[in-house]
Structures are given as C-alpha cells and as structure tokens.
Amino acid sequence: MSVRALRWLLVPLVVVPLAWLLVASLGRSVPRVGEPAPEFSLVSIDGQTVTSESLAGRPYLLNFWASWCIPACVDEHPVLIDAERRYGDRVAILGVLYRDSPEAARAFLDTYGDGGWLHLSDPGERLAGAWGVLGPPETFLVGADGRVAARRIGPLTAADLDAFLAPVAAVDR
Amino acid sequence: MIPTLGHAAVVVGLAATLFAAAAFWLGARRNDPGLVLLGRRAMYAAFGLALVASAAMVVSLLTHDFSVRYVARNNATTTPPFYSFISLWAALEGSILFWTLLATGWAALVLHRYRERAPALMPWAGVTLALGAAFFFAVMAWPGDPFVRTEPVGAEGNGPNALLQNHPFMGLHPPLLYLGYSGLAVPFAFGMAALVTRRTDEAWLGMVRRWTLVPWTFLSAGIVAGAWWSYEVLGWGGYWAWDPVENAALLPWLTATAFIHSSMVAERRGTLRVWTHALVIATFVLTLVGTFLTRSGVVESVHSFTQSAIGPWFAGAIIVALAGSLALLVWRIPELGDTRPPGRPVSREAAFLFNNVLFLGVTFVVLFGTVYPMIREAASGERVSLGAPWFTQVNAPIFVALLFLMGVGPALPWGGASWRTVRDRFALPLLAGALLAVAGWLLGVRAAAPLVALAMAGFVVTVMGEEVVRGSLVRGRARGERPPVAAWRLATRNRRRYGGYLVHAGIAVMAVAVAVSGSLASDVTVTLRSGESVQLGAYTVTHQRVVSERLASDPRVLETRAELALAGPQSGALAPALRDYPNSPSPIATPAVRTAAGEDLYVTLLATDPASGEVTLHVFVNPLVAWIWIGGAVVVLGAAFAAWPERRRVPVPAPAAEPVPATATIAAARPEQ
Amino acid sequence: MSRLLLPVAAVAALAAVALVGVALLSAPAPRTDAERTERLAAQLRCPDCQALSVAESRTRAAGAIRGEIAGLVAVGRSDEQIRSHFVDRYGEWILLAPPDPVAWWLPALVVLAAIAAFGAWLLRGRAATTRAPGATHAPATAAAGAPDAEARRVREELEALDG
C-alpha cells in the first residue's frame, strides 16, 4: 500500500525542480528597458562613495569599461568626453570598472584624457552581474524615474548618444 | 476601429474558449451530446474569432495604423506589403496571436474530424484544447495584448526588425515551426482524454501517433527551414549555432520522435502505456518551456526584440500543465498495465526502446546545456556559457549511436532475432557502410566525423534498400506484380513503415552533409581593391566595384554591395551586400550564395571603404550543404507519406494490418527458421 | 552468398574503424599562426552576439578579440595562456566549452546511467521469460496455452516480415 502511494512522489519530484528553475530564471532576468535599475553603493577610484539613492530623480549613464578593452573603449572615450561636455549638466555620467584595477584605469585616463566624471570600482563585478553586462564597453541609461531607458552593447557612437540623451535631457529641462 | 475589433475578438475568444471548456466538461460528466456539440461550436467560434483578430492585426499592419503600439514598433510607411503581412509573427505579441490562430485551428479541425469516430474521448480532448486556447487568449487579453494603443500617434513607425525583413524566407519558416508547436497540443489533449476515460487502447495509440506525426512533419520542416534561413540570411557561413531559440525547437522534436518510435512498440505489444503517455506529456510541456525560454527574455539574447511580462504567465502555465497531467498519469498508473520489457534484448522492440533512451539522452543534454548557465549562476553567481563546441562534443557519440540504431531497428525482426537472422541482415549493410568509409578515405577525406557519418549512412540506407527490395520481391512473387508496381503498392499499403524508411534515408543524407560541411569547409577573409582577386579552392573571386543605392522596394534601406566576378567550377556575378536599416544599429549582411550539389561558394561582405573602393570579404567553400536541405526535404516527404490518411477499412482507426497472404509470409519468413 | 559476405563485411568494418581511428589520432595540429588564431577564436564567445564564436561573428567586439588573439599568438603565447588571458578579463563565460567538470560529466553520467538502467531492465525481462517457459511478451497471447504456440509462431513470422 505504502509502496503504491510512493508513486505520487513522482509528481513533486518532477514538478518542483522545474518550478524552481522557472522561478529562479524569472528572478534572474536582468533589467530590461522600462524596468527599475539595480541599486548600488560603490566607491570611486578617487575614494568618493556614490549610491543609486544619491542619483535619484536624475538621469544617469552607466558606462562599464576597462583599461584593457582596446580598441573599443579607446574609440568610445572621446564620445563620452563630448557627452559630458554637452549633457553633463543634465545627465550624470558614471564609469564602472569591469575586471580592472583603479591604477590601470587611472593610467588609461592619463593617456586618453579624463573627462572629469567619476569611475567606480565594482569588486567582484557585482553591479555588472546585476545588469547582466556581457563585456566592456557596455552602457546603460537610467531615466529620472529610476527605470532603464536604454542599453548599448559595444562602443557608443556619437549618434547613439544623441539618440539616447537628447530625449532624456529634453524631458529633464 | 479595426484594432478595437481585434481586441474585442480576443476578449470574446477568451470567453468562448472558457465556455467551450465548461461545456465539454459538463457534457462529458453528464454524458450529454448536446453540451458537447455546444462546446464544439464554441471552439469553431474561437477559431473564427482568432481569425478575426489576426485579420485585424494584418489590416492594421498593411494600413500602417501607428495608433497600435505593435504596428508602431514593427512597421513603417515604407515597409513593403509582404513584410507588413508577415510582421504578424515577427514580434512577441503578434506571434502569440498567430499561435492562437493555429492552435484554435488545429483544435477545430480535430474536434470536427473525430466528432463521431471517438465520442468518448473527444469531450475530454475538447476540455484540454479549449483550456490551452483559453490560456493564449488570456495572455493576449492581459500581459501580451497585441492591440495596445499609443498616444500620440506617430507619423512614422520603427519598422520591422531588420534581420526579419531581410529575406522572404521569414514568410515560411516561423509558420512551419508554429504549426508544429501548436499542433503538438493535439496529442497531449488525446493523451489527457485517454487517461481520464481509461481508454488507452490501440485505437487511441493510432490516433495519437497520426496526430503527433502531422505536427512533427511541420516541426521538422520548420527546423530545417530555420537552419536554411540562418545560412542564407545571417551571413556567418553556418546554419546551426545551438542557440537557445534553435534548441527550443529541437527539444519537443526529440521527445516527439521518441514517442513515434515507442508508440509502435506499444501498439504492437500492448505495453509501455505509462512511458508513451509520459512522452506525450513531455513533448507538450517542452513546447511551452521552449516558448518560455525564448520569448520571455529569460535566456539572455541580444536579438530579443521585446520586453514583456508574459514570463510569469508561461511559468504558471507550464507548472499547471505539468503537475496536472503528471498527477493524472500517476493516478492511472495501476490501470495502465505492465512495464515488462516487450521483447528479447536483440529485437526490434529493444532497438526502438534503446532509441528512446538515446533520444531522451539528447533531450537531456540539450535542455541541460540551455539551462545550466542559469542554474550555475543562481547557485554560485558565476557566469558560464555552453556553446556549439560543448553541444557537438557531448552529443556526437549519442548521434552516432542513434544513426547506427536507425539501421539496426528496421533490420531486426519483432520479438527477437536469432544469430542467423542478425548475420543475414547485417552483413551486406555493414559491408556497404565500411566500403563507403574506405571510399571516403581513398577520396582524401581524413577527418573522423565524415568517415563515421559515411559508414553509418551506408549502413542505414542499405538496410532500408534491402527491406524494400525484399518486400517488393515477395509481394511481386505472391501477386504476380512487376517489381516497381509491387514496390509502390507495398509502400502505399504500409505508409507508416515505408514513409519511416524515407525519413531515415533523409536523416542519413543530412548526417553525411552535416559532418562533411562541418569539418571540411574552408574560408578566407580578405580585403580587395577593385580589380584584385582572391583564390579559395578552385574558385577565383574578383572584386569589380562597389555600388551603393536605396532599395526600390523600401527606400529607407541603403544597400551597399560589392559586385564580384566568380570563376571556377561555378562562375558568374556575385553581389554580397550590407544593408543599412534605419532601425538597426549595425548593417545587416546579405551573403551571396552559389549552391551546387558538390559545394557552395558563400561570400559575405564585411566592410567597404567608400574612399578607396576597397571591400573586405569573407569567402567560404562549404561542401555538401545543399544536401542538408535535400535530406530535410526527403525527411518531410517521408513523414508526409507516412502521415497521409490511409483508406479506412473500418470506421474506427485501427492499426493497419498488412494484408499479405499467409503463404507469402511463411515463404518469406522461412530463412529465419 | 551470405557465407562469404560475413567475413568480408567484418574485415571491411574493421578497416573502416581503423581508418576512423587513424583520422582521429592524426587530427592535424594547426601549423600556421593564422590557423592557431582561427582555432582559438572558434573557442571564444563573441561578447555582443547570440551564440556565435569570435571566429564566426563579424561584430566590432569580435574583431577586436580576433586581433588580440593574433597579437598574442604572434608573441608566442601558448593556447592555454591565451585562453586564460581572456578568462581573466571576461570571466569563464567567454569560453564556449568551459572546463567545468559538472557541465561535462553530469550529462555523460546521466546518459550512461540511463543506458545501464535500460540494459538491466531488458535483461531482467529476459531472465523472467527464461524462468517461466511458455510465458510470452505479448499480453494478447499471454493467457494462451500450448495449442496457441503454432499460432504465435505464425504471428511472429508475420511480424518479422511486416514490421
């Protein structure tokens, strides 16, 4: 009798792992455009602490990059410098180091120019993981409402930036 | 007001399917044919409503009604009518609408066809089909509403996904896949009905196998067409990347194939009922899992073109469908008969069931490879990926074993074989396979995969050929028919079996083509100035000039193409191109492919330098790729031949008994003694 | 005919197996730098595309990685060094076939266990049949006694022919 009842175990044995997998994969899915951006609290290579709360109400651009990411990050750098110059008053630009040391990042900035925005260390790539970063460079735009407004895998071009930032900057005005 | 009509049709469709489910349920419980008739009519109405909703969407697309968000996102005023039309299935909400149309269509067809033939089963099958359709209508009523409006209405839309509007093949490959996917709900519904009514006899198996074979044929065609699309459009020179989207289509195909084989054993031996039911359930659930993985944004994909909230809905549906059907199965286990092995270890039964073990092995490997990165990340936070090299290496031994079994199964008699039978039936095919591999070696093939594939294909095709020849001779002798006539009659009297042989032959052809093209392709990347040429194999490709112009069919698209001259075994002009779509961040490559029986010449344009007129080309010579499509066509033909309705001799579909006279049978069977 | 066929087939099959073995063992090691670069590129995932390797993809990121591989090959790094170079930077994720023991052994073990269980099941069925002579695999005739033996034989022959 009890042996016959045991066959009912088959149902949870199959269903529970699958349900776990489905739920876990749903929970894991990285933020997509329109969804809330992951929160963070990181220290910049100059020792300043930046948190997502401190940025609330303001659009910001998260640029994951690395000093070893050549040539893509090198190509992209002038575009970001230009963006900081044109939109910096309305949109916060933040660099996030991806598998890179603060020293190497400093050297990169000394070589290719420091646009003046902050670069955050991301130990263990926790923030990169939360965003589902595939590899540097990768850039996310977060709107004033704290939701993801755009994502760009690979180097940004001037045209991308205008397309990204013009509407956000305009709304913010 | 057309979008409003579409939305109304969706809402009424949801009501109709829920009503149908209730009517079927009550009709079955109270044994009331009137209620069942009502349920059936509600399902016909649901199909009509899905048709209205789809037509509303197509009209909105064709008239560029940008007040509909789906149209604004997937259409532009310059989109040609053909691409506007097929945009119905080019993005998430539209493809769910299209799926609903096909699912209700299958349901209506099946409910109509079997209304009198299986009066006990159909109400319960109706409940299942109606609930499935209701789920899709509900998804469209809430999270995946295709008719959501936007305000303010733009004068121009975003245009279709550039990749999807670059080749007319998009008009063929998704409908085939969706016909397969949605059709697999039918055997599941029959399975549920049989479990509820305890009617799991041979007649049921015959019905379910036919209704698995039909969607299986579409699914196979869709998978091959998808590979073809990938090859002709994506420009990377290959056709299968073990991408999650491809895996999602492969998973139910694998379990459905396993079912088709085990159902033959089950039908013949009256056993394995639990196993065949489990396969039917697994196949259906895997179609949902595949959709969940690829369409809810769970599997990371750069090309995913939607953000949507359908993920939790699909997760819920999968859990409900699996838990419900599995519980029903477990409840009925005591009534489903024994689970003893149906044949001796060396018998056709054993070979078919070993095939099942291997097919499920591949299913496990593919599913594991698709979800393992997710599990590992959830468990340890580390990100890994399993790509094509992993899939090929893990699957290769199983594929080789499956190929071998494809020949072994049909060569072994049912029940069991003596050593003499084995020897008589295997000697010639083994010889043929070995000779083919040796011939390959002598022709200069030095890679292992093509040699193994050649040996296996030679073995399999010879087994099939021997079977057909022997069968025709026996029939011809017994009935005094000439061999071709005898062969045709033999095949059409037992479509299932000879259609199956044709499928096997097609797979053998594909296996050789895949192994050869995978390991013997060559390629080169070069930058050429005007007038310069590059040599690859026996071909010379000469760059003549670069032309940039707007497409006549869609002036928003700028095409830059390299005009090349080809000399060699094939010659003429080639024009690989890069197309700039306004809504695509990077240009879409349009490869130039010259196909011949022996090898394809495949050229992708990587970059152009307008100043110097230089072009960078990726040139491939891909041997035997055409035979993948030919083999695929043979598979589909064979499956269609097998699924073609046989003339019914009795009102209830019964397992086809071969009407060969007993004298011929004994005569033919004598060598076995 | 079959008397001669079998030994010939056996020899031919052995020859074919031997050829495949030779082909497997003598899989050509890449000679030129370009071949090595190509082979390494085929093992790395393209960061900004779906399911393609760096060798197959034509995106900028893939092009950059191909260039980097060529550079590392040119300065004489070993394959292993080059792979770990990219793993350090992108994580194990960059490898299309990562050296993850679970990923390699679990599927293999599951499939082998399934085959073993299937084999045991088949043999158990065989043992049960030999212990109880007269029992048959076909339930349809399971209840039949000796008089049906002839009918069963005919039926099995019929099946042997008709599939």
Side-chain angles (χ1 to χ4, degrees):
Chain A
M1 185 58 220
S2 64
V3 175
R4 293 190 77 190
L6 274 181
R7 69 173 195 270
W8 285 99
L9 276 179
L10 203 63
V11 179
L13 269 178
V14 175
V15 175
V16 169
L18 187 82
W20 174 83
L21 185 69
L22 296 178
V23 173
S25 56
L26 278 175
R28 168 196 162 278
S29 56
V30 298
R32 301 177 154 267
V33 172
E35 293 175 3
E39 296 182 353
F40 66 88
S41 172
L42 294 175
V43 181
S44 81
I45 54 175
D46 311 314
Q48 263 180 275
T49 300
V50 182
T51 66
S52 43
E53 278 156 35
S54 67
L55 293 161
R58 203 173 161 210
Y60 60 96
L61 194 74
L62 271 187
N63 172 244
F64 290 86
W65 69 284
S67 61
W68 49 262
C69 145
I70 296 169
C73 294
V74 176
D75 292 352
E76 183 186 63
H77 201 61
V79 175
L80 286 169
I81 289 180
D82 186 45
E84 170 71 18
R85 192 176 51 71
R86 283 163 55 203
Y87 301 103
D89 56 332
R90 281 156 290 166
V91 179
I93 297 183
L94 287 170
V96 184
L97 296 188
Y98 187 84
R99 289 176 185 261
D100 204 7
S101 68
E103 297 74 34
R106 191 74 258 163
F108 179 98
L109 296 172
D110 291 344
T111 312
Y112 296 103
D114 187 343
W117 65 91
L118 292 177
H119 297 274
L120 310 175
S121 286
D122 182 19
E125 281 70 47
R126 296 177 74 96
L127 186 59
W131 277 99
V133 170
L134 295 167
E138 195 162 330
T139 308
F140 298 88
L141 178 65
V142 179
D145 56 357
R147 289 173 181 276
V148 184
R151 175 184 192 177
R152 182 78 174 96
I153 297 162
L156 284 172
T157 62
D160 288 337
L161 258 184
D162 284 337
F164 271 28
L165 295 183
V168 177
V171 168
D172 198 41
R173 277 276 97 154
Chain B
M1 285 312 90
I2 282 173
T4 314
L5 179 69
H7 185 72
V10 167
V11 174
V12 181
L14 174 60
T17 43
L18 288 175
F19 174 80
F24 279 127
W25 180 289
L26 287 175
R29 295 298 296 272
R30 297 183 186 165
N31 203 8
D32 181 345
L35 278 172
V36 173
L37 179 65
L38 216 54
R40 200 159 63 228
R41 290 200 173 141
M43 283 306 285
Y44 299 158
F47 172 55
L49 290 160
L51 203 59
V52 168
S54 305
M57 179 55 82
V58 168
V59 170
S60 302
L61 286 163
L62 286 171
T63 57
H64 315 297
D65 181 352
F66 299 129
S67 73
V68 179
R69 193 177 67 187
Y70 184 83
V71 178
R73 284 189 182 168
N74 297 292
N75 195 270
T77 48
T78 52
T79 309
F82 173 74
Y83 289 104
S84 287
F85 183 86
I86 68 170
S87 295
L88 174 60
W89 52 77
L92 181 80
E93 291 86 357
S95 60
I96 288 179
L97 175 55
F98 185 56
W99 185 315
T100 313
L101 174 69
L102 299 177
T104 49
W106 282 121
L109 176 69
V110 167
L111 290 169
H112 180 74
R113 213 175 140 74
Y114 289 94
R115 66 193 180 285
E116 274 154 20
R117 268 192 270 165
L121 282 179
M122 289 326 282
W124 291 108
V127 171
T128 318
L129 290 168
L131 285 177
F135 167 71
F136 280 98
F137 275 117
V139 167
M140 285 194 292
W142 285 289
D145 185 355
F147 295 104
V148 172
R149 312 298 279 268
T150 52
E151 197 77 50
V153 177
E156 184 54 286
N158 182 45
N161 183 322
L163 264 181
L164 305 185
Q165 61 173 312
N166 203 35
H167 197 281
F169 228 64
M170 269 313 283
L172 186 65
H173 137 68
L176 287 172
L177 267 184
Y178 286 153
L179 272 169
Y181 269 148
S182 56
L184 286 170
V186 175
F188 177 74
F190 282 147
M192 291 302 98
L195 286 176
V196 171
T197 59
R198 302 180 168 87
R199 284 178 51 108
T200 56
D201 49 10
E202 277 80 3
W204 171 80
L205 268 174
M207 218 154 89
V208 177
R209 201 194 26 253
R210 156 88 26 89
W211 280 100
T212 304
L213 202 50
V214 172
W216 184 93
T217 309
F218 285 111
L219 196 55
S220 309
I223 291 172
V224 175
W228 195 0
W229 176 78
S230 179
Y231 184 70
E232 295 280 340
V233 176
L234 297 185
W236 58 286
Y239 42 81
W240 190 266
W242 294 101
D243 177 281
V245 181
E246 294 164 342
N247 295 348
L250 196 59
L251 288 170
W253 185 90
L254 290 166
T255 49
T257 311
F259 167 78
I260 290 168
H261 289 92
S262 69
S263 74
M264 286 185 252
V265 178
E267 190 181 35
R268 185 161 286 276
R269 290 293 176 211
T271 168
L272 292 175
R273 298 250 159 86
V274 179
W275 179 247
T276 48
H277 270 101
L279 284 177
V280 167
I281 292 172
T283 303
F284 177 70
V285 170
L286 283 174
T287 62
L288 293 180
V289 170
T291 316
F292 172 80
L293 287 176
T294 53
R295 288 303 170 112
S296 63
V298 165
V299 167
E300 210 157 84
S301 149
V302 176
H303 294 168
S304 74
F305 33 67
T306 44
Q307 303 84 41
S308 96
I310 69 155
W313 283 66
F314 265 88
I318 292 165
I319 293 167
V320 169
L322 182 63
S325 53
L326 210 57
L328 189 55
L329 177 62
V330 168
W331 188 19
R332 291 287 189 249
I333 280 179
E335 294 161 49
L336 288 174
D338 67 53
T339 49
R340 276 181 306 142
R344 271 169 275 167
V346 182
S347 64
R348 189 178 291 184
E349 288 91 331
F352 275 26
L353 295 181
F354 190 36
N355 135 319
N356 265 238
V357 174
L358 295 179
F359 265 112
L360 287 192
V362 180
T363 311
F364 177 79
V365 170
V366 173
L367 190 60
F368 176 85
T370 312
V371 300
Y372 177 69
M374 242 183 279
I375 300 173
R376 166 105 187 253
E377 197 185 333
S380 70
E382 278 177 273
R383 299 171 70 211
V384 291
S385 70
L386 298 177
W390 181 87
F391 280 99
T392 15
Q393 280 176 60
V394 176
N395 277 325
I398 315 181
F399 282 147
V400 172
L402 271 175
L403 270 177
F404 186 65
L405 272 183
M406 228 164 68
V408 171
L412 287 177
W414 291 105
S418 65
W419 163 239
R420 274 197 58 166
T421 316
V422 173
R423 200 182 61 189
D424 288 348
R425 295 213 174 163
F426 283 82
L428 186 64
L430 278 179
L431 180 66
L435 287 182
L436 215 53
V438 173
W441 178 277
L442 294 178
L443 284 171
V445 178
R446 290 292 181 273
L451 291 176
V452 172
L454 273 173
M456 293 299 162
F459 173 71
V460 169
V461 172
T462 313
V463 168
M464 308 295 158
E466 244 194 326
E467 285 281 300
V468 173
V469 167
R470 201 176 38 186
S472 314
L473 288 180
V474 169
R475 189 187 165 100
R477 235 182 296 139
R479 302 221 168 161
E481 292 166 350
R482 283 183 304 120
V485 178
W488 174 250
R489 292 203 177 142
L490 183 74
T492 49
R493 294 296 183 280
N494 198 346
R495 290 176 165 275
R496 241 164 65 198
R497 181 174 180 198
Y498 293 97
Y501 286 179
L502 204 53
V503 171
H504 284 191
I507 299 275
V509 169
M510 288 175 82
V512 172
V514 167
V516 170
S517 66
S519 49
L520 302 178
S522 49
D523 69 303
V524 62
T525 304
V526 283
T527 301
L528 299 177
R529 271 198 298 262
S530 180
E532 285 182 336
S533 43
V534 62
Q535 199 133 18
L536 182 65
Y539 298 90
T540 309
V541 175
T542 309
H543 171 43
Q544 292 172 329
R545 63 197 183 114
V546 177
V547 178
S548 253
E549 63 188 18
R550 305 222 155 251
L551 283 189
S553 58
D554 186 348
R556 295 207 306 168
V557 182
L558 177 67
E559 180 179 84
T560 305
R561 60 175 185 269
E563 299 203 332
L564 313 169
L566 173 67
Q570 300 185 70
S571 58
L574 290 174
L578 285 170
R579 288 183 180 170
D580 268 305
Y581 286 84
N583 60 348
S584 166
S586 48
I588 305 296
T590 307
V593 189
R594 275 309 178 89
T595 301
E599 59 194 13
D600 284 9
L601 183 87
Y602 186 111
V603 186
T604 304
L605 178 60
L606 299 179
T608 58
D609 183 346
S612 63
E614 277 181 353
V615 293
T616 306
L617 303 172
H618 198 186
V619 186
F620 301 79
V621 172
N622 292 330
L624 297 192
V625 169
W627 291 92
I628 300 175
W629 323 133
I630 296 171
V634 171
V635 167
V636 171
L637 263 180
F641 184 84
W644 203 263
E646 289 181 60
R647 261 172 299 165
R648 256 182 289 144
R649 302 183 190 89
V650 280
V652 178
E658 181 65 37
V660 173
T663 46
T665 310
I666 303 296
R670 192 155 294 146
E672 320 270 89
Q673 299 310 300
Chain C
M1 174 191 95
S2 62
R3 208 164 286 268
L4 240 174
L5 198 55
L6 189 69
V8 175
V11 170
L14 278 178
V17 169
L19 288 185
V20 170
V22 172
L24 267 179
L25 290 177
S26 64
R31 287 186 204 88
T32 67
D33 279 5
E35 278 172 18
R36 268 190 69 200
T37 305
E38 181 72 19
R39 206 183 57 169
L40 283 162
Q43 298 168 359
L44 300 181
R45 180 176 288 264
C46 155
D48 57 347
C49 33
Q50 197 177 0
L52 289 187
S53 75
V54 164
E56 290 155 344
S57 168
R58 294 296 138 184
T59 64
R60 277 188 66 166
I65 293 177
R66 270 199 311 277
E68 212 177 335
I69 299 172
L72 292 168
V73 166
V75 299
R77 302 278 197 89
S78 74
D79 285 6
E80 199 39 59
Q81 282 171 327
I82 293 174
R83 269 193 296 270
S84 61
H85 170 90
F86 285 101
V87 169
D88 287 346
R89 293 182 158 194
Y90 291 88
E92 213 183 303
W93 168 85
I94 194 84
L95 298 177
L96 283 165
D100 176 336
V102 179
W104 291 97
W105 286 106
L106 186 73
L109 287 177
V110 167
V111 172
L112 289 177
I115 293 173
F118 172 72
W121 178 69
L122 271 187
L123 292 175
R124 198 192 62 193
R126 180 188 167 81
T129 344
T130 37
R131 262 203 313 277
T136 125
H137 312 292
T141 55
D148 271 340
E150 179 63 19
R152 202 186 85 216
R153 197 176 62 79
V154 171
R155 182 190 146 127
E156 278 178 1
E157 282 168 2
L158 197 134
E159 286 165 358
L161 178 76
D162 296 332

